[in-house]
Amino acid sequence: MLTDKQEENISGIIAVYKPRGWTSFDVVAKLRGILRIKRLGHGGTLDPMAEGVLPVFVGKATKACDIIPDRKKEYSAGFKLGISTDTQDITGKILTESPADIGLENLRAAAEDFVGDIMQIPPMYSAVKVNGKKLYELAREGKEVEREPRPIRVNSIEITEYDETTREGKMYVKCEKGTYIRTVIHDIGEKLGTGGVMTTLVRTYSGGCGISDCHTLEEIQEFADSKKIGDIIIPTDKAFAEYEEVRLSKRITGLYKNGVKLRPEQTGKAPDGKLYRVYSAQNEFLGIGHFVNGEFRSRKNLFC
């Protein structure tokens, strides 16, 4: 358990290795019990079937959850060709089966058609809302509704393993937020004429955090018990590493914290449409700032 002082001051990101079978909400609820802190929020939902990187924002850092710029996600996904299911993964009800043989080169060629800016129809078993109701709620009622295709971006698909006899393998997918990996696999299977389902899913990168940054819930419990939770806190600004930085002088820091709009020369930047990481004279990460009508102001304060 954290001391009162630690509870008051702790702020940043804990990269959790979400176990399979847990929801993202389950992980946050468990961490509340471990850390005895109410202010927690996660940076990107993972389905219960999935495991891997789940960035959890702690304390003041929770204010950053809604403005995280890092849309890049990376996954290692197991798949099986020759069947399709209602959930698009191996846990669902089998809808079709095909005995067709698929060679590695044909599989790679089909996968390439789903790289780039594409349109994807979200699966019925998803949290996407249609007419105010989540699709998975309708699916559990045995209903299927028409879904509008949505634009997504898949940066690359690499087939890392494939057994032509069992038609099972693994792929490594680099994509952006909003991409359903099981739907990518389903669509590749449809392209091949055999069907395809996801068998496993591990998220390896999200919100500026990779697998090497992660800790299991058991490890986090041990750090909390030994009052060393600070040792695994990742600074909040890591999630905003893609933004340029603005460093303020001591006097200008005080003005900025008091909500004063700054002139361009007080920031060392020319007015533009970009977002910036803002730091105090003492190297404190203050949050995200931007220019509005030629004046520099806060977009999101993270210092209070």
Side-chain angles (χ1 to χ4, degrees), residues 77-301:
F79 65 89
K80 180 176 178 60
L81 300 177
I83 62 172
S84 65
T85 68
D86 58 349
T87 60
Q88 300 182 351
D89 61 42
I90 198 65
T91 68
K93 176 184 176 182
I94 295 178
L95 301 177
T96 66
E97 295 186 74
S98 168
D101 294 329
I102 298 296
L104 177 58
E105 292 310 310
N106 287 339
L107 171 58
R108 284 176 171 161
E112 277 301 309
D113 287 344
F114 296 92
V115 174
D117 294 307
I118 63 173
M119 301 298 289
Q120 184 182 75
I121 298 175
M124 279 301 301
Y125 282 87
S126 67
V128 174
K129 288 186 177 180
V130 172
N131 297 325
K133 197 159 187 179
K134 293 179 180 178
L135 286 175
Y136 70 76
E137 293 174 341
L138 295 171
R140 288 171 181 169
E141 294 172 4
K143 300 176 182 177
E144 182 168 354
V145 298
E146 186 174 347
R147 289 96 70 200
E148 290 294 325
R150 304 188 309 168
I152 63 164
R153 179 164 184 81
V154 176
N155 295 309
S156 65
I157 300 176
E158 179 187 0
I159 308 301
T160 56
E161 296 178 24
Y162 183 58
D163 185 323
E164 294 187 8
T165 301
T166 63
R167 295 177 295 177
E168 296 183 31
K170 288 186 178 181
M171 62 176 65
Y172 198 82
V173 182
K174 295 182 180 180
C175 60
E176 297 195 3
K177 186 177 180 180
T179 302
Y180 286 94
I181 303 302
R182 51 199 159 100
T183 302
V184 170
I185 293 171
H186 168 84
D187 291 348
I188 291 172
E190 291 296 297
K191 177 79 175 179
L192 291 166
T194 67
V197 296
M198 185 178 75
T199 56
T200 60
L201 185 66
V202 179
R203 186 159 69 188
T204 58
Y205 179 88
S206 177
C209 301
I211 290 288
S212 61
D213 298 309
C214 287
H215 298 275
T216 65
L217 291 168
E218 292 77 14
E219 290 170 340
I220 295 169
Q221 180 72 68
E222 291 175 4
F223 277 102
D225 289 344
S226 58
K227 294 182 170 51
K228 294 182 178 179
I229 201 69
D231 292 351
I232 61 172
I233 294 292
I234 298 170
T236 310
D237 56 344
K238 182 173 180 179
F240 300 91
E242 68 182 65
Y243 294 163
E244 291 182 36
E245 64 179 46
V246 166
R247 292 192 175 270
L248 307 176
S249 68
K250 184 176 181 180
R251 185 177 73 85
I252 302 302
T253 294
L255 294 175
Y256 182 83
K257 282 189 168 184
N258 286 326
V260 176
K261 300 168 187 175
L262 306 179
R263 299 188 305 274
E265 60 267 27
Q266 293 176 308
T267 67
K269 301 292 182 180
D272 53 32
K274 298 190 295 187
L275 296 176
Y276 291 89
R277 287 177 288 133
V278 184
Y279 295 87
S280 71
Q282 291 75 37
N283 201 36
E284 176 190 7
F285 179 50
L286 302 178
I288 304 302
H290 63 153
F291 284 97
V292 177
N293 297 325
E295 298 176 312
F296 192 80
R297 62 177 68 178
S298 171
R299 167 75 182 278
K300 178 76 74 171
N301 283 330

